[in-house]
């Protein structure tokens, strides 16, 4: 299942990034060559960048490439190391559940209820903010998946890191 989630996120990130590049290139062309900046692509680029950053963060967590200070974990071994990794996963999962899923979900619900739309695209702002609980749910999935791996005796540190950014 994890490989399916990884592949789906990878495809979503490539698609979002590709659209983002097209939007920014068009913004530059319309502003400096045509003399009339496109407000639509400017707004779309901002929102795509938000989704890209949040989904990219979730994907990075799933690949074990997130920023981590692992001085303590590297010094530990055996059950202490396992317990340390489980506590870290629990704290990350709890943060994602409270702040991203619950808090982000409240933000999405309140924004959708208020009827707020984006100025240029007329998209409900709740859809833009939907990246927060979505990324939180994906991060919780990865935390649970890693915790199950640890419970079965497989350490996350044992995995070899992939070579490229989206390998």
């Amino acid at each position: 299942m994890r490989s399916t989630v990884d592949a789906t996120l990878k495809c979503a990130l490539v698609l979002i990034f590709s659209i983002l590049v097209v939007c920014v290139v068009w913004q530059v062309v319309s502003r400096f060559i045509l003399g009339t900046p496109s407000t639509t692509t400017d707004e779309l680029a901002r929102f795509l960048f938000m989704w890209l950053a949040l989904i990219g963060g979730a994907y990075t967590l799933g690949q074990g490439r997130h920023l981590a200070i692992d001085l303590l974990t590297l010094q530990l071994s055996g059950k202490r190391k396992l317990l340390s990794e489980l506590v870290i996963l629990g704290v990350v999962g709890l943060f994602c559940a409270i702040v991203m899923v619950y808090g982000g979900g409240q933000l999405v619900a309140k924004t959708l209820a208020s009827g707020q739309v984006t100025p240029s695209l007329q998209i409900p702002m709740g859809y833009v903010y939907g990246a927060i609980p979505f990324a939180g749910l994906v991060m919780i999935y990865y935390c649970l998946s890693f915790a199950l791996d640890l419970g079965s005796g497989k350490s996350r540190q044992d995995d070899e890191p992939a070579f490229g950014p989206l390998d």
Side-chain angles (χ1 to χ4, degrees):
M1 170 100 171
R2 193 182 314 162
S3 61
T4 304
V5 172
D6 289 344
T8 303
L9 290 178
K10 193 185 304 185
C11 289
L13 288 169
V14 168
L15 179 66
I16 291 170
F17 189 74
S18 300
I19 296 170
L20 180 62
V21 167
V22 170
C23 285
V24 171
V25 167
W26 176 249
Q27 181 66 21
V28 169
V29 168
S30 67
R31 178 177 302 238
F32 293 109
I33 295 175
L34 303 177
T36 56
S38 171
T39 57
T40 312
T41 55
D42 177 49
E43 191 173 275
L44 183 60
R46 272 185 279 134
F47 300 152
L48 288 173
F49 187 72
M50 289 170 46
W51 274 85
L52 183 72
L54 286 162
I55 296 173
Y59 180 76
T60 302
L61 175 69
Q63 300 304 303
R65 294 180 177 198
H66 57 287
L67 179 62
I69 301 172
D70 56 359
L71 292 173
L72 175 65
T73 307
L74 290 175
Q75 299 298 321
L76 299 174
S77 62
K79 290 188 179 193
R80 287 185 175 175
K81 182 176 183 175
L82 176 71
L83 181 62
S84 170
E85 289 181 358
L86 285 172
V87 167
I88 291 167
L89 287 172
V91 170
V92 170
L94 188 63
F95 175 84
C96 291
I98 293 170
V99 175
M100 297 181 77
V101 175
Y102 178 75
Q106 293 288 338
L107 175 65
V108 169
K110 287 179 182 178
T111 307
L112 287 174
S114 73
Q116 182 183 2
V117 295
T118 63
S120 180
L121 296 171
Q122 296 296 304
I123 298 171
M125 279 300 293
Y127 295 159
V128 176
Y129 296 144
I132 300 168
F134 175 77
L137 287 170
V138 173
M139 289 179 180
I140 290 170
Y141 164 76
Y142 279 126
C143 287
L144 290 173
S145 177
F146 290 146
L148 290 173
D149 285 350
L150 288 173
S152 67
K154 181 181 176 192
S155 175
R156 293 184 332 169
Q157 307 271 329
D158 295 339
D159 296 338
E160 293 238 354
F163 179 74
L166 292 175
D167 287 338

